[in-house]
Amino acid sequence: DRGALIPIEVVSLAMRTLWEDEVLARSEERDRRPELCELNKILTAISENPRQKIPADILAVFAIYSARRLSEICRLRWDDLRVNSGTILVRDMKHPRQKKGNNVWCTLPSEAFEIILAMPRTSEFIFPYNPRSVGTAYRRHRDKVGVVDLRFHDFRHEAISRQFEMGKSASFVRKISGHKNGGCLYRYEHVEEEGDKFANWDWHQLILERCKSLH
């Protein structure tokens, strides 16, 4: 009903959710990157919650390694995976002018590739989950452990910045991120230090075991 009165708090919450789920186009540049202690809190809360059926922890770690948006992760198909080359076709990748049909072959970092190979093949989709439900689960556990202003989309920033911090060239990183040019790529890159922030990260192996437990 167009004449209905809607509380401003409801509208504000809906807008924040739409921004986080990338339903609305985002124009602001963010440089929020997660600290390992924050990730540990969120991932532990998700994995230890017996009522949490969607493995949002697996998708979060995959996003951190792969640089994929949540909506893209839930569209990845087994038939689009090229095991020999370690690449995958990302269908309908977000594009400022092209809403559909922007299909891009992207390189999978080794950690992301391992997660895919550990997943059970129960559907045509590698991660057969509703992205809205995954986003809701992620936010619920993030808020529960008191981590402030860390969006799922920030993991894409993290993945791209990590590649630069490990000394990878822009042309190499574009093969992972799917960017067509360096201008768009560099708005995601926020280098803080040299080296691999996630070297020997416990959650890499823990998530591989979580994937296998789904079989």
Side-chain angles (χ1 to χ4, degrees), residues 114-206:
E114 287 181 286
I115 291 173
I116 286 180
L117 295 182
M119 285 291 292
R121 191 162 182 163
T122 58
S123 162
E124 63 182 306
F125 298 102
I126 298 172
F127 303 98
Y129 308 105
N130 185 315
R132 298 284 184 85
S133 300
V134 177
T136 298
Y138 167 77
R139 286 189 295 275
R140 183 170 63 248
H141 291 88
R142 175 201 62 191
D143 296 345
K144 179 181 178 182
V145 298
V147 174
V148 178
D149 190 35
L150 182 62
R151 303 176 184 176
F152 197 101
H153 186 74
D154 293 330
F155 298 151
R156 177 165 166 82
H157 294 245
E158 180 63 35
I160 293 172
S161 297
R162 173 182 179 243
Q163 293 296 325
F164 280 113
E165 288 177 348
M166 292 193 298
K168 305 299 184 183
S169 67
S171 59
F172 178 89
V173 179
R174 280 204 303 270
K175 293 179 181 178
I176 294 172
S177 68
H179 285 102
K180 294 293 196 306
N181 60 68
C184 294
L185 175 67
Y186 286 122
R187 76 187 290 265
Y188 281 89
E189 176 243 333
H190 301 99
V191 173
E192 295 177 352
E193 58 187 37
E194 293 183 357
D196 184 3
K197 175 178 174 180
F198 293 92
N200 303 313
W201 190 37
D202 290 343
W203 280 98
H204 178 210
Q205 191 59 42
L206 289 172

Side-chain angles (χ1 to χ4, degrees), residues 4 20 25 43 52 73 93 115 124 130 135 138:
E20 288 206 31
L43 296 172
Q52 180 58 45
I73 293 173
M93 183 179 290
I115 291 173
E124 63 182 306
N130 185 315
Y138 167 77

Side-chain angles (χ1 to χ4, degrees), residues 4-19 24:
L5 295 177
I6 303 175
I8 188 64
E9 311 86 59
V10 174
V11 176
S12 297
L13 177 60
M15 290 293 289
R16 286 198 301 271
T17 301
L18 290 171
W19 277 115
L24 298 178

Side-chain angles (χ1 to χ4, degrees), residues 35-79:
E35 297 182 9
L36 293 180
C37 61
E38 293 177 319
L39 293 174
N40 292 339
K41 289 178 182 178
I42 297 170
L43 296 172
T44 297
I46 296 172
S47 63
E48 292 185 352
N49 182 356
R51 299 173 61 187
Q52 180 58 45
K53 302 306 180 184
I54 297 176
D57 51 342
I58 293 177
L59 279 79
V61 173
F62 182 80
I64 289 169
Y65 285 129
S66 69
R68 299 271 60 83
R69 301 173 177 88
L70 178 54
S71 57
E72 294 170 353
I73 293 173
C74 295
R75 286 198 300 268
L76 296 177
R77 298 170 180 264
W78 288 108
D79 286 348

